[in-house]
Amino acid sequence: MTPQRRIRLFVDSNVLTGGIVSSWGLDKATLSLCAAKVCKLVLAEVVRDEVEQNLLLHAERLSSLDADQLIADYRRLIKLTNPELVPYPDKHLVHSSRSLIRHEADVPVLLSAMASKPDWLLTHNTRHFTAVVAKRTALRIATPAEFFRALSTLFI
C-alpha cells in the first residue's frame, strides 16, 4: 500500500476558534482530522494571532479553571496537529492586493492561503470569501459542511 499525500486544510480563524470552543460540530471534526493526521492543518500566522486574541476574550467570560482548560486544549491541538505555518505576507503585497477581496482585514488571510496553496480553504465567512474570490485566486474555498460533503463522495 502506498502512502497518500494528506489533504492540506487552510482554516480561517472562525473555523479554528469554533473548533476549539465548541463541544462538537464540523469545525471540531475538521480539527480532529488534522489532529489524527488524516489531513494537514495549514495555519497562517495572521489566523493564529486572531484566534489567540479571540480565545483570550472568550476565556475572560469563563471561570479560571475553564479558561485554563481552554488554553491547554488550544496548546494541545497545536502540538497534535503540528501545523504547517504560513508567515505574514509582505505589507506592500497586502496593500497592492486590496482588490482581491471586499473586506480589507481578510487580505492578509487570503494572501497567506494563496502562498501556501492548500487543497481547501475552510471558512464560514462566505460573505467575503466568495466564489468570485475563489476564481480570482484559484483557491478551493468552502465551509466545513461543504468540505465534508465533498469528502463523503470519496467513500461512496
Side-chain angles (χ1 to χ4, degrees), residues 4-10 30 33-34 37-42 84 118-122 140 147 150-151 154-155:
Q4 294 182 341
R5 185 180 70 79
R6 288 187 284 167
I7 297 169
R8 295 173 60 249
L9 302 177
F10 183 104
T30 299
L33 287 175
C34 295
K37 308 285 191 243
V38 174
C39 296
K40 179 67 176 176
L41 178 63
V42 179
E84 175 185 326
D119 297 306
W120 293 83
L121 185 163
L122 300 183
R140 191 174 194 181
F147 167 70
L151 190 63
L154 298 175
F155 303 107

Side-chain angles (χ1 to χ4, degrees), residues 41-141:
L41 178 63
V42 179
L43 181 58
E45 290 179 351
V46 63
V47 169
R48 180 198 61 201
D49 291 350
E50 184 177 340
V51 167
E52 289 176 359
Q53 288 176 335
N54 290 341
L55 290 178
L56 290 174
L57 290 172
H58 185 77
E60 289 177 355
R61 297 188 301 262
L62 301 173
S63 70
S64 64
L65 189 61
D66 288 341
D68 289 346
Q69 186 61 54
L70 176 70
I71 301 306
D73 289 347
Y74 169 70
R75 288 185 178 137
R76 184 163 186 256
L77 172 73
I78 295 302
K79 186 176 181 178
L80 285 172
T81 59
N82 187 26
E84 175 185 326
L85 291 176
V86 183
Y88 273 88
D90 179 78
K91 288 181 184 183
H92 297 295
L93 182 59
V94 171
H95 181 70
S96 66
S97 302
R98 178 61 190 94
S99 62
L100 287 175
I101 193 164
R102 180 190 326 168
H103 193 241
E104 188 173 351
D106 291 326
V107 175
V109 175
L110 184 63
L111 290 174
S112 295
M114 291 169 60
S116 65
K117 296 180 172 63
D119 297 306
W120 293 83
L121 185 163
L122 300 183
T123 184
H124 292 289
N125 186 358
T126 56
R127 201 167 137 231
H128 296 149
F129 288 87
T130 63
V132 171
V133 171
K135 188 172 182 170
R136 278 185 200 147
T137 60
L139 289 168
R140 191 174 194 181
I141 300 172

Side-chain angles (χ1 to χ4, degrees), residues 13-33:
S13 60
N14 50 49
V15 173
L16 186 52
T17 302
I20 294 165
V21 302
S22 299
S23 57
W24 75 276
L26 294 179
D27 293 344
K28 188 167 281 303
T30 299
L31 299 181
S32 295
L33 287 175

